């Protein structure tokens, strides 16, 4: 097998690793898909923002740049990582809050339809919000049972959608298995049934190329603190296809999403355009680090980022097969790289204890029930040598 050092020498994106805080240390970070590392430029950028923009411009900053930042940054994200034309993406609230707003907007746009389709292995917040909206609006949840080492297939979706379906909610990359859903195919199946689809891009935005416009997606929501390195709690984004923007109305009718915020009029009318999906004052400080990571992804190119991501997960699968399968570890992610996002889950009955030991030894993966060690490989900040070191540590930690 090629040595990890050779793979790092041959990696055209290897130099990007030096731009991340702490990447030169010995800690093995397998959780960049949960909280990406900061870039070294982000610290100075934040300090400069406080001194020059916040401190220097004060409230004038809103007119000069901040009021439009949710949309301008949304357009940058759309161009660099989402395959979407301008005017359809905005940075807003947390993912959870945006999921609520957009699921609610979607079911309201399909009156008379009574079901929301969601899979049993979708991320908890997606399932909880869908259940809450079903309760609130008198709708029924229609569950898709999925293999937890894979995800929603076209056949499974085709079986459950029909004339009663208002909305389908699926993750592009499954948070547990890394299953990469066939977005255009599943979207077509939902559309043939007359339903809207909301795609959760939390585990794909910034690592897997997305073509929202070409795939005819209706609505998408995603995180910015995972592969977009926005920092803990950085605000999420929402995409709404241009054909739907002025048809959907969201339930949190705040002044920033209103037609003329500064008229402060007696009643709410939604803004025309994507700003209508905002509610209150945008979290500007949380948007600053996202800009730095987007610049890096733009520079590297999202297709090259994906190529590195595939090489990293392929390498992790190969090393796990060599080092860990003799100890009884099994792959709980799709074996084919084209069906997999940027992480790999490895199952063993002792993985909960193994994870605790690894954290003590400065190897930081995630644990996911049942028995899953989740290895997140953030393409621009992870090296092949790091993967090898981390998996050797897993071998040592196993009984
Ligand atoms: C991480 C993640 C979330 C997180 O939502 P927050 O509101 O940011 O806590 C939601 N959905 C999926 C699929 C995720 O992976």
């Amino acid at each position: 097998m090629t040595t990890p050092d050779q793979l790092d020498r041959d990696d055209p994106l290897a130099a990007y690793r030096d731009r991340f805080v702490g990447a030169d240390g010995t800690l093995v970070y397998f959780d960049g898909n949960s909280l990406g590392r900061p870039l070294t430029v982000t610290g100075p950028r934040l300090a400069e923002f406080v001194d020059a923009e916040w401190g220097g411009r004060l409230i004038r900053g809103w007119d000069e740049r901040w009021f439009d930042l949710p949309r301008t940054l949304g357009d940058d994200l759309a161009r660099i990582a989402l395959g979407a034309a301008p005017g359809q993406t905005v940075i807003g609230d947390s993912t959870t809050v945006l999921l609520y707003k957009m699921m609610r907007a979607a079911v309201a746009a399909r009156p008379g339809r009574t079901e929301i389709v969601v899979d049993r292995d979708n991320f908890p917040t997606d399932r909880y919000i869908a259940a809450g909206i079903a309760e609130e609006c008198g709708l029924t949840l229609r569950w898709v049972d999925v293999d937890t080492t894979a995800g929603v297939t076209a056949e499974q979706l085709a079986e459950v959608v029909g004339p009663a379906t208002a909305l389908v909610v699926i993750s592009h990359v499954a948070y547990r298995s890394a299953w990469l859903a066939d977005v255009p195919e599943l979207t077509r199946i939902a559309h043939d049934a007359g339903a809207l689809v909301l795609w959760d891009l939390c585990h794909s935005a910034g690592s897997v190329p997305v073509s929202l416009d070409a795939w005819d997606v209706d609505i998408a929501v995603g995180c910015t603190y995972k592969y977009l390195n926005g920092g803990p709690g950085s605000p999420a984004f929402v995409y709404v296809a241009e054909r739907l923007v002025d048809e959907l109305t969201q339930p949190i009718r705040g002044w920033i999403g209103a037609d003329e915020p500064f008229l402060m009029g007696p009643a709410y009318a939604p803004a025309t355009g994507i700003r209508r999906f905002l509610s209150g004052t945008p979290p500007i400080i949380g948007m600053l680090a996202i800009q730095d990571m987007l610049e890096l992804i733009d520079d590297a190119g999202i297709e090259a980022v994906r190529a590195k991501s595939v090489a990293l997960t392929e390498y992790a699968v190969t090393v796990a097969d060599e080092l860990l399968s003799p100890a009884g570890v099994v792959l709980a992610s799709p074996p084919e790289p084209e069906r997999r996002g940027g992480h790999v889950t490895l199952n063993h009955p002792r993985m909960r204890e193994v994870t605790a030991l690894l954290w003590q030894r400065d190897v930081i993966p995630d644990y996911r029930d049942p028995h899953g060690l989740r290895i997140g490989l953030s393409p621009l900040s992870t090296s092949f040598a790091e993967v090898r070191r981390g998996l050797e540590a897993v071998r040592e930690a196993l009984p």
Side-chain angles (χ1 to χ4, degrees):
M1 200 202 292
T2 320
T3 65
D5 293 334
Q6 189 60 49
L7 290 169
D8 283 322
R9 275 196 295 276
D10 294 344
D11 168 16
L13 305 187
Y16 286 101
R17 190 170 142 81
D18 301 336
R19 316 253 194 116
F20 293 87
V21 174
D24 52 352
T26 55
L27 180 140
V28 173
Y29 195 47
F30 282 161
D31 238 335
N33 60 335
S34 250
L35 178 67
R37 286 181 183 272
L39 283 159
T40 55
V41 294
T42 295
R45 185 202 276 272
L46 290 171
E48 194 196 318
F49 176 83
V50 173
D51 287 342
E53 260 190 83
W54 177 9
R57 304 311 301 158
L58 296 166
I59 202 168
R60 293 169 293 182
W62 284 111
D63 291 334
E64 291 164 2
R65 190 168 85 101
W66 308 335
F67 188 75
D68 286 330
L69 193 59
R71 281 182 293 162
T72 56
L73 189 58
D75 284 345
D76 290 343
L77 169 65
R79 174 180 63 78
I80 295 164
L82 304 182
Q88 306 174 100
T89 308
V90 76
I91 311 285
D93 315 279
S94 70
T95 306
T96 298
V97 171
L98 283 179
L99 284 170
Y100 175 78
K101 287 162 65 165
M102 300 320 297
M103 285 191 214
R104 194 72 166 64
V107 299
R110 287 292 178 274
R113 289 179 171 246
T114 55
E115 294 183 355
I116 303 175
V117 170
V118 59
D119 67 281
R120 284 201 197 277
D121 208 33
N122 209 334
F123 191 80
T125 219
D126 302 62
R127 290 181 281 111
Y128 301 164
I129 297 282
I133 287 176
E135 204 178 299
E136 190 185 340
C137 301
L139 305 173
T140 305
L141 276 192
R142 187 78 186 259
W143 292 104
V144 184
D145 284 308
V146 291
D147 174 352
T148 56
T149 67
V152 183
T153 64
E155 297 69 40
Q156 287 171 323
L157 186 65
E159 259 173 45
V160 297
V161 293
T165 315
L167 174 66
V168 174
V169 180
I170 313 178
S171 289
H172 183 198
V173 172
Y175 81 102
R176 192 193 315 271
S177 69
W179 172 263
L180 186 61
D182 185 343
V183 178
E185 176 68 1
L186 298 184
T187 300
R188 192 189 52 73
I189 290 168
H191 285 175
D192 285 350
L196 290 169
V197 194
L198 189 162
W199 283 99
D200 185 323
L201 306 182
C202 281
H203 279 280
S204 56
S207 78
V208 179
V210 176
S211 305
L212 294 178
D213 289 347
W215 293 345
D216 203 23
V217 164
D218 302 310
I219 305 166
V221 167
C223 285
T224 62
Y225 52 81
K226 293 174 178 169
Y227 294 108
L228 293 169
N229 304 57
S234 63
F237 64 88
V238 55
Y239 160 94
V240 179
E242 190 177 15
R243 63 193 150 75
L244 286 171
V245 166
D246 291 323
E247 189 189 324
L248 298 185
T249 42
Q250 54 100 353
I252 314 283
R253 300 178 170 191
W255 70 306
I256 297 292
D259 191 21
E260 296 270 11
F262 300 102
L263 276 188
M264 312 220 164
Y268 174 87
T272 49
I274 194 73
R275 186 168 53 79
R276 66 169 49 203
F277 300 103
L278 298 182
S279 294
T281 300
I284 300 301
I285 293 179
M287 296 183 203
L288 302 176
I290 306 170
Q291 288 177 269
D292 297 328
M293 189 59 183
L294 283 177
E295 275 171 27
L296 211 66
I297 295 173
D298 198 16
D299 193 51
I302 189 71
E303 295 293 342
V305 169
R306 171 65 176 162
K308 167 100 187 259
S309 169
V310 166
L312 284 167
T313 58
E314 280 288 84
Y315 182 64
V317 169
T318 308
V319 174
D321 197 42
E322 173 204 325
L323 290 184
L324 308 179
S325 60
V329 172
V330 293
L331 180 66
S333 293
E336 321 84 352
E338 67 279 6
R339 282 266 57 88
R340 190 168 71 211
H343 65 272
V344 166
T345 297
L346 301 169
N347 278 6
H348 184 280
R350 301 296 289 277
M351 280 312 187
R352 186 188 287 279
E353 297 92 306
V354 166
T355 305
L357 267 178
L358 290 170
W359 278 52
Q360 285 169 18
R361 298 172 187 175
D362 270 359
V363 174
I364 317 288
D366 237 329
Y367 173 77
R368 289 288 178 266
D369 271 333
H371 319 308
L373 187 78
R374 198 178 66 168
I375 310 281
L377 303 167
S378 195
L380 293 179
S381 63
T382 308
S383 69
F384 293 90
E386 190 179 6
V387 174
R388 177 86 202 183
R389 273 206 320 282
L391 293 176
E392 282 170 357
V394 176
R395 178 67 199 92
E396 283 158 28
L398 276 165

